[in-house]
């Protein structure tokens, strides 16, 4: 299953990617499982995606939780929580 992943703010700076096309392994069908998959890429990725930092997600520009289903062709964005003033 192919998807596009976007990274924003400090996540983008940490992983040195703003976006990438990914072919997901079989079984990676939710945001939680995608985070687990990304966390296997190395220490920086693990620090961001193992739950030690709060990472928000959106699928096709709609905020979602970690249980949201990912489908082929989706655009998944990851970003830190946003605060306003």
């Amino acid at each position: 299953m192919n998807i596009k992943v976007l990274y924003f703010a400090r996540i983008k700076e940490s992983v040195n990617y703003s976006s990438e096309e990914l072919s997901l392994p079989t079984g990676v069908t939710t945001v939680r499982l995608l985070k687990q998959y990304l966390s296997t890429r190395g220490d920086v990725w693990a620090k961001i995606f193992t739950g030690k930092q709060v990472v928000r997600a959106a699928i096709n520009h709609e905020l979602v939780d970690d249980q949201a289903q990912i489908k082929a062709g989706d655009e998944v964005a990851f970003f830190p929580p946003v605060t306003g003033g």
Side-chain angles (χ1 to χ4, degrees), residues 1-84:
M1 167 170 57
N2 293 320
I3 65 168
K4 183 172 187 174
V5 182
L6 305 174
Y7 306 99
F8 292 97
R10 67 173 162 73
I11 298 170
K12 173 182 159 182
E13 294 166 8
S14 295
V15 301
N16 292 319
Y17 281 92
S18 59
S19 68
E20 65 179 312
E21 301 286 332
L22 277 182
S23 181
L24 296 180
T26 302
V28 177
T29 57
T30 66
V31 171
R32 180 180 61 80
L33 293 171
L34 176 56
K35 286 179 177 180
Q36 286 178 348
Y37 172 69
L38 292 172
S39 74
T40 66
R41 289 180 156 181
D43 291 343
V44 170
W45 295 85
K47 186 176 179 184
I48 295 167
F49 290 108
T50 56
K52 294 177 181 150
Q53 296 182 21
V54 176
V55 175
R56 300 294 313 267
I59 296 177
N60 302 323
H61 306 277
E62 183 176 326
L63 289 175
V64 296
D65 65 21
D66 281 359
Q67 303 312 311
Q69 295 289 310
I70 299 170
K71 299 181 294 304
D74 279 348
E75 179 183 270
V76 180
F78 290 113
F79 50 93
V82 181
T83 59

